[in-house]
Amino acid sequence: MLILNKTAGVFSKPSKRNMYEFLRSFNFRPGKRFLHKLVLGIETSCDDTAAAVVDETGNVLGEAIHSQTEVHLKTGGIIPPVAQQLHRENIQRIVQEALSASKVSPSELSAIATTIKPGLALSLGVGLSFSLQLVDQLKKPFIPIHHMEAHALTIRLTNKVEFPFLVLLISGGHCLLALVRGVSDFLLLGKSLDIAPGDMLDKVARRLSLIKHPECSTMSGGKAIEHLAKQGNRLHFDFKPPMQHAKNCDFSFSGLRHIIDKMIMQKEKEEGIEKGQILSSAADIAAAVQHTVACHIAKRTHRAILFCKQRDLFCQSNAVLVVSGGVASNLHIRKALEIVTDATQCTLLCPPPRLCTDNGVMIAWNGVERLRAGLGILHSTEGIRYEPKCPLGADISKEVGEAAVKVPRLKMKI
Ligand code: KG4
Ligand code: ZN
């Protein structure tokens, strides 16, 4: 059992006065009535402090976000106490901005929804502690949110998508394939056995010192790889996609990362340059890495689609694949997935980029979905804890592996 970290409070000494002042800062407008239910969503599971107010029909009334990316880029990765401190410094302002933009006063909210799992313990603690104080002051229901479920359901805010559908979540912290059967009904078909693709691309970009590249200095690792790959020739390097013989829907990126590291070391020797300088072949390496990652993701997703079709798990009329997460904004990876969905007569859907990455809207929307379905709405927050580790749904990845679905070879002409 995880204990809520007391040091993760919103204020150095959580005080009721602070919260009253915060609430008083809003313009209460008596007489104004909202016909729809309104949910405030709060997200602090990793390195983004985000909040949004969304109504029952999916209108985003207000949103705000503070990204820590620039700070973490400089230190070469997320340092949890630094992330915690930045969440603490920003959460009140971000929630206030979202509420002000929405023109909704806190008393008009139907519920407060907050990410409580999975994520960085110190980061989750800030959002939960802040939310619990707000819930206590406002006497509103609290809706605890699973971060991955929220990512998976975001598409229902932007598109008319019925259950069940397949979702591929690929980001810096996530990599999984799941069948979404309902608001809180998920079947996990496969996941990364080690690191996530975004994490791997970030590490390769760091090893290639792309932060020193004049065109990439402010980009995340994945974005820098995509940018540079456009100038490179992927055929100059031949990295094999991982797990070619494992007939399941799991992923792996660590082994590939080590092979690339070795290749970079060899190239540095050949070019007579030190670690930290940019290789003349950096763009070719970026192109080859991106293509190998795309092929690996496409193959596992192809198998998941075929498994769902064989077991009749899709909607009769339309099989839908939803792709989300920061890595889903990569156009080369999207193209590879398009080749798969074209070959399997599936519809490929991606939320817009700002909703693919971590945001407050997806948390508020998950709150709306739960409110509508009457699922997981708490009127007492006694004993509520955050959970840094928490699987998504029922894990059937072993059964998927045992089915050993054969995947026909597709030409990845991208
Ligand atoms: O979803 P996200 O904002 O945060 C979480 O990890 O939850 O995803 C960030 C990740 C980073 O690893 C970043 O390098 C990667 O997404 N990323 C990309 C691209 N843009 C961001 N990876 C590949 N291609 C991109 N264009
Ligand atoms: Zn996320």
Side-chain angles (χ1 to χ4, degrees):
M1 176 84 72
L2 292 146
I3 310 294
L4 182 66
N5 188 338
K6 289 234 167 65
T7 62
V10 180
F11 312 108
S12 42
K13 255 194 203 154
S15 79
K16 283 203 167 175
R17 241 188 78 218
N18 258 333
M19 191 54 80
Y20 280 128
E21 274 163 20
F22 166 65
L23 294 172
R24 260 204 306 272
S25 68
F26 290 93
N27 245 341
F28 291 86
R29 284 152 297 130
K32 185 170 184 299
R33 296 203 137 233
F34 281 93
L35 296 174
H36 297 304
K37 289 194 169 118
L38 303 163
V39 176
L40 166 67
I42 299 178
E43 157 66 33
T44 64
S45 68
C46 189
D47 60 345
D48 290 310
T49 316
V53 179
V54 174
D55 80 6
E56 203 175 358
T57 59
N59 289 316
V60 178
L61 303 180
E63 63 178 308
I65 187 160
H66 173 263
S67 166
Q68 305 175 1
T69 308
E70 243 177 74
V71 175
H72 299 309
L73 260 180
K74 283 190 195 124
T75 50
I78 298 172
I79 300 169
V82 174
Q84 178 192 39
Q85 185 55 30
L86 290 170
H87 282 306
R88 279 181 179 164
E89 286 168 13
N90 290 288
I91 191 161
Q92 182 157 334
R93 175 178 62 81
I94 289 298
V95 171
Q96 189 150 9
E97 275 179 26
L99 280 164
S100 299
S102 72
K103 306 216 180 328
V104 167
S105 84
S107 63
E108 288 166 320
L109 294 169
S110 313
I112 294 166
T114 302
T115 307
I116 68 150
K117 60 190 174 184
L120 297 173
L122 295 180
S123 296
L124 287 168
V126 178
L128 179 56
S129 162
F130 182 90
S131 303
L132 292 186
Q133 287 185 64
L134 202 53
V135 161
D136 185 47
Q137 301 295 314
L138 295 170
K139 307 278 174 269
K140 298 286 177 188
F142 181 60
I143 310 179
I145 301 294
H146 189 299
H147 181 82
M148 321 294 267
E149 293 183 4
H151 267 306
L153 294 173
T154 305
I155 198 71
R156 283 165 51 85
L157 179 143
T158 54
N159 297 61
K160 258 190 171 261
V161 183
E162 298 296 329
F163 299 121
F165 58 89
L166 187 64
V167 70
L168 167 69
L169 295 181
I170 39 175
S171 72
H174 333 305
C175 182
L176 59 84
L177 274 160
L179 188 74
V180 188
R181 299 195 300 185
V183 173
S184 73
D185 184 2
F186 294 77
L187 290 182
L188 184 68
L189 305 183
K191 61 179 185 311
S192 175
L193 303 177
D194 37 64
I195 58 175
D199 189 11
M200 182 241 174
L201 293 173
D202 289 342
K203 286 182 164 117
V204 171
R206 219 175 300 143
R207 183 63 186 81
L208 285 169
S209 303
L210 297 189
I211 198 151
K212 291 186 189 158
H213 194 290
E215 291 165 27
C216 308
S217 60
T218 57
M219 292 178 187
S220 68
K223 202 169 168 52
I225 296 273
E226 179 174 32
H227 179 79
L228 218 55
K230 290 188 193 121
Q231 305 162 21
N233 184 344
R234 66 177 163 84
L235 301 174
H236 288 180
F237 291 91
D238 184 23
F239 303 122
K240 296 266 175 292
M243 301 181 77
Q244 303 226 61
H245 300 292
K247 288 195 175 57
N248 54 34
C249 292
D250 289 332
F251 304 79
S252 168
F253 297 94
S254 279
L256 179 61
R257 184 206 153 190
H258 287 299
I259 290 166
I260 295 160
D261 267 6
K262 269 196 193 158
M263 175 63 78
I264 294 172
M265 211 149 57
Q266 189 188 320
K267 280 279 145 196
E268 283 169 346
K269 258 192 202 156
E270 278 173 34
E271 293 189 17
I273 64 166
E274 296 282 314
K275 186 175 176 180
Q277 291 177 277
I278 299 177
L279 284 167
S280 67
S281 49
D284 295 339
I285 295 175
V289 170
Q290 176 178 256
H291 188 69
T292 313
V293 167
C295 289
H296 180 48
I297 291 172
K299 181 86 174 241
R300 315 319 278 182
T301 308
H302 194 171
R303 179 169 289 115
I305 292 172
L306 295 179
F307 176 85
C308 290
K309 289 208 163 194
Q310 275 182 14
R311 302 278 166 113
D312 240 347
L313 296 174
F314 275 130
C315 182
Q316 292 289 328
S317 55
N318 193 10
V320 174
L321 170 69
V322 172
V323 186
S324 194
V327 179
S329 56
N330 184 293
L331 295 181
H332 193 89
I333 294 172
R334 278 199 193 190
K335 192 82 197 67
L337 290 165
E338 224 172 273
I339 292 172
V340 170
T341 49
D342 283 352
T344 49
Q345 288 94 46
C346 268
T347 304
L348 174 64
L349 295 175
C350 300
R354 75 182 175 89
L355 295 180
C356 272
T357 53
D358 291 351
N359 63 84
V361 173
M362 70 180 194
I363 306 305
W365 174 245
N366 199 165
V368 168
E369 290 256 39
R370 285 187 164 273
L371 212 52
R372 290 197 308 206
L375 289 165
I377 304 146
L378 306 183
H379 295 278
S380 157
T381 53
E382 182 95 11
I384 188 102
R385 301 279 184 268
Y386 60 77
E387 295 172 51
K389 283 200 162 48
C390 183
L392 176 74
D395 187 349
I396 62 156
S397 55
K398 201 161 166 259
E399 194 182 325
V400 173
E402 280 160 9
V405 177
K406 274 201 175 149
V407 176
R409 195 177 278 273
L410 293 178
K411 277 224 162 81
M412 286 293 162
K413 275 196 181 163
I414 311 171

